[in-house]
Amino acid sequence: MNLQGGKPKATDSIRCFIEQDRGFGIYHLSYQSIVKEISKMLGARLDTIWEQAIIEDLKCFDIGESYALRSSKPKSKYILLEDLGKEIWDSLTGDRDWNKMVDWITHEFIVDRETVMQDLYDFALTLIHQGLIHCEEASGWTKEAYGSGESHGEEPAATNYDVIYNKYMEGRKPFKLFVELTYGCNLTCKHCYLGEPSTAAGLSLDKYIEILDQMKEYGVVELTFTGGEAALHPNYLDIVEYASRKGFVVTLLTNGTLLTEQETNRLKKLELHEVRISIYGFEQFHDEFVGMKGAFEKSLHSLQQLGELGTAAIVLTGDNVDEMNRLIPFLTSLGIEASYTPLITPTIYGGTEPMGHRLTGERLRQCIEDLQLRLGGSICTAGISRFRITPEGEINPCEMLRTIEFGNLREHSFSNIMESAERQQWMERFASLTASPCSGCGMKKYCTNCIGLALLETGDMSGISSFACELAAAQHHYWEKS
């Protein structure tokens, strides 16, 4: 029995258990006695876990036949419980009777009781090891199974974000929304896709609370608050806090220059997924790139104040790439985690000025090798399971498809917009747009081309971004050269 569920295999778990536990001192007993003794021991341990287990502070999302579980700690990954995994979780968090669960599985799958008990015990230890439940008395048992250190190697499939994301895509249900709180910004970054700042008035706190309630009822999982500069909205902290308390997985995108120590302390208490703060280089370059003296020092201070919640979001450009060999070790020495992307788009109005800052050619290829970058390959879900809300309340498929409008939240409820004729028409059109010439490309798993980028760069949603092709080719050359 594993985190994905499915029918238990009738493996010889009793013999395996004996081989692994040399301290039992029962090798002289008959096989029947061994089974009886181990069943007794397993029963006692299952009693302990089911009675004493403390369910950690989790966000739990019911997605049909599965649960997506996620710790409230910053940057936690999803755990997917399917089929039997979901049934067992309900037992553990509900009636607390493991015997009923064993009886049901034994009858349903025609498996001997001892095998089911062993599998159930292994499953419970996995939940403890993944940090989903806590049982003080069982801590020693997990060390027996997993060792005293942290797990290493590849991330288990149970935490695969794509599995959950694709379920929403297939069901045409909204999973993630980007919420632009304001177009206003106190910086003038050279690569900004918004172009000239807008003075459009944002929505009120009361309106955002109403919208968040509607989105939660509809089943939305993730929210990313952004701008412009999100912190310029007078109620941004109240909005972010309300979203977190409603159970959304919340990320805040900010330049960090406006955050006070009081605000960072408040953010750290909100069980957010992440706060991403833009960093473009060291002080001289960064301040010149964003158009404000002292910006680097303020952004860096905010990252230090946020601790594990903060991430330095670095956009790699042709201008700053030479600073990376010093900047990255510097951030690491301060305990600041960093993410990197070379993706720069035209402005939402089709302006090409930001594209002049793209990292290209041999320097792009070298950067991919130096930073071990791997991007692309994901499925575009704009308007299917991913959306953007503008400061005026308009819902678009994504930030690059502003001309596609599904409805305005000032005038319609979230559910009405999701079920509107405009969205239905888009979903029908979407299928033909994603069936592009790229579908047969051998470098598709490295491709960042999407219909929004294609529209802004070529004027055609079915077009192909030349930069996406260059980036895919550079990654393909590095990752598959061996």
Side-chain angles (χ1 to χ4, degrees), residues 342-364:
L343 298 178
I344 295 177
T345 71
T347 72
I348 58 176
Y349 309 106
T352 60
E353 296 84 1
M355 296 165 61
H357 298 283
R358 282 175 170 172
L359 177 62
T360 59
E362 181 57 36
R363 298 172 82 205
L364 173 62

PDB file of all heavy atoms in Angstrom, residues 342-364:
ATOM      1  N   PRO A 342      15.362  33.059 -17.012  1.00  0.00           N
ATOM      2  CA  PRO A 342      15.774  33.984 -18.065  1.00  0.00           C
ATOM      3  C   PRO A 342      14.577  34.488 -18.886  1.00  0.00           C
ATOM      4  O   PRO A 342      14.753  35.124 -19.918  1.00  0.00           O
ATOM      5  CB  PRO A 342      16.691  33.108 -18.932  1.00  0.00           C
ATOM      6  CG  PRO A 342      16.076  31.744 -18.822  1.00  0.00           C
ATOM      7  CD  PRO A 342      15.460  31.653 -17.449  1.00  0.00           C
ATOM      8  N   LEU A 343      13.362  34.192 -18.433  1.00  0.00           N
ATOM      9  CA  LEU A 343      12.164  34.522 -19.208  1.00  0.00           C
ATOM     10  C   LEU A 343      11.815  36.002 -19.073  1.00  0.00           C
ATOM     11  O   LEU A 343      11.534  36.492 -17.982  1.00  0.00           O
ATOM     12  CB  LEU A 343      10.978  33.669 -18.753  1.00  0.00           C
ATOM     13  CG  LEU A 343      11.130  32.156 -18.937  1.00  0.00           C
ATOM     14  CD1 LEU A 343       9.906  31.430 -18.395  1.00  0.00           C
ATOM     15  CD2 LEU A 343      11.346  31.818 -20.402  1.00  0.00           C
ATOM     16  N   ILE A 344      11.836  36.694 -20.176  1.00  0.00           N
ATOM     17  CA  ILE A 344      11.423  38.100 -20.257  1.00  0.00           C
ATOM     18  C   ILE A 344      10.477  38.210 -21.446  1.00  0.00           C
ATOM     19  O   ILE A 344      10.780  37.732 -22.539  1.00  0.00           O
ATOM     20  CB  ILE A 344      12.634  39.034 -20.454  1.00  0.00           C
ATOM     21  CG1 ILE A 344      13.547  38.979 -19.211  1.00  0.00           C
ATOM     22  CG2 ILE A 344      12.188  40.460 -20.710  1.00  0.00           C
ATOM     23  CD1 ILE A 344      14.810  39.809 -19.339  1.00  0.00           C
ATOM     24  N   THR A 345       9.330  38.839 -21.234  1.00  0.00           N
ATOM     25  CA  THR A 345       8.315  38.920 -22.285  1.00  0.00           C
ATOM     26  C   THR A 345       8.170  40.345 -22.797  1.00  0.00           C
ATOM     27  O   THR A 345       8.609  41.304 -22.137  1.00  0.00           O
ATOM     28  CB  THR A 345       6.942  38.455 -21.746  1.00  0.00           C
ATOM     29  OG1 THR A 345       6.425  39.450 -20.834  1.00  0.00           O
ATOM     30  CG2 THR A 345       7.065  37.126 -21.029  1.00  0.00           C
ATOM     31  N   PRO A 346       7.541  40.516 -23.951  1.00  0.00           N
ATOM     32  CA  PRO A 346       7.166  41.867 -24.373  1.00  0.00           C
ATOM     33  C   PRO A 346       6.180  42.454 -23.365  1.00  0.00           C
ATOM     34  O   PRO A 346       5.664  41.745 -22.497  1.00  0.00           O
ATOM     35  CB  PRO A 346       6.497  41.638 -25.737  1.00  0.00           C
ATOM     36  CG  PRO A 346       6.988  40.294 -26.188  1.00  0.00           C
ATOM     37  CD  PRO A 346       7.171  39.489 -24.942  1.00  0.00           C
ATOM     38  N   THR A 347       5.899  43.737 -23.457  1.00  0.00           N
ATOM     39  CA  THR A 347       4.891  44.326 -22.582  1.00  0.00           C
ATOM     40  C   THR A 347       3.509  43.816 -22.989  1.00  0.00           C
ATOM     41  O   THR A 347       3.324  43.266 -24.084  1.00  0.00           O
ATOM     42  CB  THR A 347       4.879  45.861 -22.661  1.00  0.00           C
ATOM     43  OG1 THR A 347       4.327  46.264 -23.928  1.00  0.00           O
ATOM     44  CG2 THR A 347       6.287  46.417 -22.505  1.00  0.00           C
ATOM     45  N   ILE A 348       2.532  44.008 -22.117  1.00  0.00           N
ATOM     46  CA  ILE A 348       1.176  43.527 -22.404  1.00  0.00           C
ATOM     47  C   ILE A 348       0.563  44.266 -23.587  1.00  0.00           C
ATOM     48  O   ILE A 348      -0.470  43.842 -24.121  1.00  0.00           O
ATOM     49  CB  ILE A 348       0.269  43.659 -21.172  1.00  0.00           C
ATOM     50  CG1 ILE A 348       0.206  45.118 -20.692  1.00  0.00           C
ATOM     51  CG2 ILE A 348       0.760  42.740 -20.057  1.00  0.00           C
ATOM     52  CD1 ILE A 348      -0.749  45.346 -19.537  1.00  0.00           C
ATOM     53  N   TYR A 349       1.188  45.366 -23.989  1.00  0.00           N
ATOM     54  CA  TYR A 349       0.717  46.117 -25.152  1.00  0.00           C
ATOM     55  C   TYR A 349       1.515  45.769 -26.412  1.00  0.00           C
ATOM     56  O   TYR A 349       1.339  46.379 -27.458  1.00  0.00           O
ATOM     57  CB  TYR A 349       0.829  47.622 -24.872  1.00  0.00           C
ATOM     58  CG  TYR A 349       0.194  48.029 -23.576  1.00  0.00           C
ATOM     59  CD1 TYR A 349       0.971  48.364 -22.476  1.00  0.00           C
ATOM     60  CD2 TYR A 349      -1.199  48.038 -23.429  1.00  0.00           C
ATOM     61  CE1 TYR A 349       0.390  48.731 -21.270  1.00  0.00           C
ATOM     62  CE2 TYR A 349      -1.791  48.399 -22.226  1.00  0.00           C
ATOM     63  CZ  TYR A 349      -0.992  48.729 -21.147  1.00  0.00           C
ATOM     64  OH  TYR A 349      -1.586  49.076 -19.955  1.00  0.00           O
ATOM     65  N   GLY A 350       2.413  44.779 -26.276  1.00  0.00           N
ATOM     66  CA  GLY A 350       3.208  44.355 -27.417  1.00  0.00           C
ATOM     67  C   GLY A 350       4.519  45.089 -27.563  1.00  0.00           C
ATOM     68  O   GLY A 350       5.247  44.883 -28.553  1.00  0.00           O
ATOM     69  N   GLY A 351       4.871  45.949 -26.607  1.00  0.00           N
ATOM     70  CA  GLY A 351       6.136  46.674 -26.662  1.00  0.00           C
ATOM     71  C   GLY A 351       7.325  45.730 -26.569  1.00  0.00           C
ATOM     72  O   GLY A 351       7.328  44.806 -25.752  1.00  0.00           O
ATOM     73  N   THR A 352       8.324  45.964 -27.383  1.00  0.00           N
ATOM     74  CA  THR A 352       9.462  45.041 -27.451  1.00  0.00           C
ATOM     75  C   THR A 352      10.654  45.481 -26.600  1.00  0.00           C
ATOM     76  O   THR A 352      11.673  44.786 -26.560  1.00  0.00           O
ATOM     77  CB  THR A 352       9.932  44.903 -28.914  1.00  0.00           C
ATOM     78  OG1 THR A 352      10.320  46.197 -29.404  1.00  0.00           O
ATOM     79  CG2 THR A 352       8.829  44.334 -29.787  1.00  0.00           C
ATOM     80  N   GLU A 353      10.538  46.605 -25.895  1.00  0.00           N
ATOM     81  CA  GLU A 353      11.672  47.127 -25.132  1.00  0.00           C
ATOM     82  C   GLU A 353      12.242  46.101 -24.143  1.00  0.00           C
ATOM     83  O   GLU A 353      13.482  45.942 -24.061  1.00  0.00           O
ATOM     84  CB  GLU A 353      11.269  48.403 -24.388  1.00  0.00           C
ATOM     85  CG  GLU A 353      10.893  49.578 -25.287  1.00  0.00           C
ATOM     86  CD  GLU A 353       9.442  49.514 -25.742  1.00  0.00           C
ATOM     87  OE1 GLU A 353       8.734  48.555 -25.337  1.00  0.00           O
ATOM     88  OE2 GLU A 353       9.024  50.396 -26.496  1.00  0.00           O
ATOM     89  N   PRO A 354      11.409  45.387 -23.372  1.00  0.00           N
ATOM     90  CA  PRO A 354      11.977  44.414 -22.417  1.00  0.00           C
ATOM     91  C   PRO A 354      12.809  43.326 -23.086  1.00  0.00           C
ATOM     92  O   PRO A 354      13.758  42.806 -22.492  1.00  0.00           O
ATOM     93  CB  PRO A 354      10.733  43.825 -21.741  1.00  0.00           C
ATOM     94  CG  PRO A 354       9.686  44.875 -21.883  1.00  0.00           C
ATOM     95  CD  PRO A 354       9.938  45.484 -23.220  1.00  0.00           C
ATOM     96  N   MET A 355      12.470  42.961 -24.319  1.00  0.00           N
ATOM     97  CA  MET A 355      13.160  41.874 -24.994  1.00  0.00           C
ATOM     98  C   MET A 355      14.637  42.180 -25.244  1.00  0.00           C
ATOM     99  O   MET A 355      15.457  41.277 -25.398  1.00  0.00           O
ATOM    100  CB  MET A 355      12.456  41.571 -26.320  1.00  0.00           C
ATOM    101  CG  MET A 355      11.030  41.060 -26.130  1.00  0.00           C
ATOM    102  SD  MET A 355      10.035  41.089 -27.647  1.00  0.00           S
ATOM    103  CE  MET A 355      10.971  40.005 -28.700  1.00  0.00           C
ATOM    104  N   GLY A 356      14.985  43.464 -25.244  1.00  0.00           N
ATOM    105  CA  GLY A 356      16.372  43.849 -25.439  1.00  0.00           C
ATOM    106  C   GLY A 356      17.267  43.456 -24.276  1.00  0.00           C
ATOM    107  O   GLY A 356      18.496  43.498 -24.398  1.00  0.00           O
ATOM    108  N   HIS A 357      16.670  43.073 -23.158  1.00  0.00           N
ATOM    109  CA  HIS A 357      17.437  42.666 -21.977  1.00  0.00           C
ATOM    110  C   HIS A 357      17.554  41.144 -21.856  1.00  0.00           C
ATOM    111  O   HIS A 357      18.120  40.652 -20.877  1.00  0.00           O
ATOM    112  CB  HIS A 357      16.785  43.235 -20.716  1.00  0.00           C
ATOM    113  CG  HIS A 357      16.749  44.730 -20.676  1.00  0.00           C
ATOM    114  ND1 HIS A 357      17.857  45.493 -20.365  1.00  0.00           N
ATOM    115  CD2 HIS A 357      15.747  45.600 -20.949  1.00  0.00           C
ATOM    116  CE1 HIS A 357      17.533  46.770 -20.440  1.00  0.00           C
ATOM    117  NE2 HIS A 357      16.261  46.870 -20.784  1.00  0.00           N
ATOM    118  N   ARG A 358      17.059  40.415 -22.827  1.00  0.00           N
ATOM    119  CA  ARG A 358      17.114  38.953 -22.760  1.00  0.00           C
ATOM    120  C   ARG A 358      18.552  38.431 -22.816  1.00  0.00           C
ATOM    121  O   ARG A 358      19.411  38.987 -23.500  1.00  0.00           O
ATOM    122  CB  ARG A 358      16.314  38.334 -23.918  1.00  0.00           C
ATOM    123  CG  ARG A 358      14.810  38.338 -23.702  1.00  0.00           C
ATOM    124  CD  ARG A 358      14.081  37.835 -24.922  1.00  0.00           C
ATOM    125  NE  ARG A 358      12.658  37.609 -24.662  1.00  0.00           N
ATOM    126  CZ  ARG A 358      11.760  37.324 -25.591  1.00  0.00           C
ATOM    127  NH1 ARG A 358      12.146  37.214 -26.861  1.00  0.00           N
ATOM    128  NH2 ARG A 358      10.494  37.114 -25.270  1.00  0.00           N
ATOM    129  N   LEU A 359      18.745  37.339 -22.106  1.00  0.00           N
ATOM    130  CA  LEU A 359      20.021  36.620 -22.139  1.00  0.00           C
ATOM    131  C   LEU A 359      19.974  35.649 -23.312  1.00  0.00           C
ATOM    132  O   LEU A 359      19.074  34.797 -23.377  1.00  0.00           O
ATOM    133  CB  LEU A 359      20.202  35.873 -20.809  1.00  0.00           C
ATOM    134  CG  LEU A 359      21.438  35.002 -20.652  1.00  0.00           C
ATOM    135  CD1 LEU A 359      22.709  35.833 -20.734  1.00  0.00           C
ATOM    136  CD2 LEU A 359      21.369  34.253 -19.323  1.00  0.00           C
ATOM    137  N   THR A 360      20.928  35.744 -24.217  1.00  0.00           N
ATOM    138  CA  THR A 360      20.880  34.928 -25.434  1.00  0.00           C
ATOM    139  C   THR A 360      22.257  34.357 -25.761  1.00  0.00           C
ATOM    140  O   THR A 360      23.249  34.641 -25.098  1.00  0.00           O
ATOM    141  CB  THR A 360      20.393  35.769 -26.634  1.00  0.00           C
ATOM    142  OG1 THR A 360      21.290  36.878 -26.818  1.00  0.00           O
ATOM    143  CG2 THR A 360      18.978  36.292 -26.399  1.00  0.00           C
ATOM    144  N   GLY A 361      22.280  33.554 -26.828  1.00  0.00           N
ATOM    145  CA  GLY A 361      23.534  33.058 -27.385  1.00  0.00           C
ATOM    146  C   GLY A 361      24.349  32.194 -26.438  1.00  0.00           C
ATOM    147  O   GLY A 361      23.822  31.470 -25.596  1.00  0.00           O
ATOM    148  N   GLU A 362      25.659  32.291 -26.566  1.00  0.00           N
ATOM    149  CA  GLU A 362      26.577  31.473 -25.780  1.00  0.00           C
ATOM    150  C   GLU A 362      26.466  31.752 -24.296  1.00  0.00           C
ATOM    151  O   GLU A 362      26.615  30.857 -23.467  1.00  0.00           O
ATOM    152  CB  GLU A 362      28.015  31.719 -26.247  1.00  0.00           C
ATOM    153  CG  GLU A 362      29.061  30.889 -25.507  1.00  0.00           C
ATOM    154  CD  GLU A 362      28.799  29.394 -25.593  1.00  0.00           C
ATOM    155  OE1 GLU A 362      28.319  28.915 -26.651  1.00  0.00           O
ATOM    156  OE2 GLU A 362      29.059  28.695 -24.586  1.00  0.00           O
ATOM    157  N   ARG A 363      26.157  32.992 -23.944  1.00  0.00           N
ATOM    158  CA  ARG A 363      26.026  33.337 -22.517  1.00  0.00           C
ATOM    159  C   ARG A 363      24.805  32.649 -21.910  1.00  0.00           C
ATOM    160  O   ARG A 363      24.821  32.259 -20.739  1.00  0.00           O
ATOM    161  CB  ARG A 363      25.941  34.851 -22.351  1.00  0.00           C
ATOM    162  CG  ARG A 363      27.202  35.565 -22.848  1.00  0.00           C
ATOM    163  CD  ARG A 363      26.996  37.043 -22.839  1.00  0.00           C
ATOM    164  NE  ARG A 363      27.202  37.605 -21.510  1.00  0.00           N
ATOM    165  CZ  ARG A 363      26.653  38.741 -21.089  1.00  0.00           C
ATOM    166  NH1 ARG A 363      25.825  39.418 -21.873  1.00  0.00           N
ATOM    167  NH2 ARG A 363      26.919  39.207 -19.894  1.00  0.00           N
ATOM    168  N   LEU A 364      23.738  32.502 -22.677  1.00  0.00           N
ATOM    169  CA  LEU A 364      22.568  31.753 -22.212  1.00  0.00           C
ATOM    170  C   LEU A 364      22.940  30.301 -21.996  1.00  0.00           C
ATOM    171  O   LEU A 364      22.602  29.705 -20.959  1.00  0.00           O
ATOM    172  CB  LEU A 364      21.429  31.876 -23.224  1.00  0.00           C
ATOM    173  CG  LEU A 364      20.193  30.993 -22.955  1.00  0.00           C
ATOM    174  CD1 LEU A 364      19.545  31.360 -21.632  1.00  0.00           C
ATOM    175  CD2 LEU A 364      19.187  31.127 -24.094  1.00  0.00           C
TER     176      LEU A 364
END
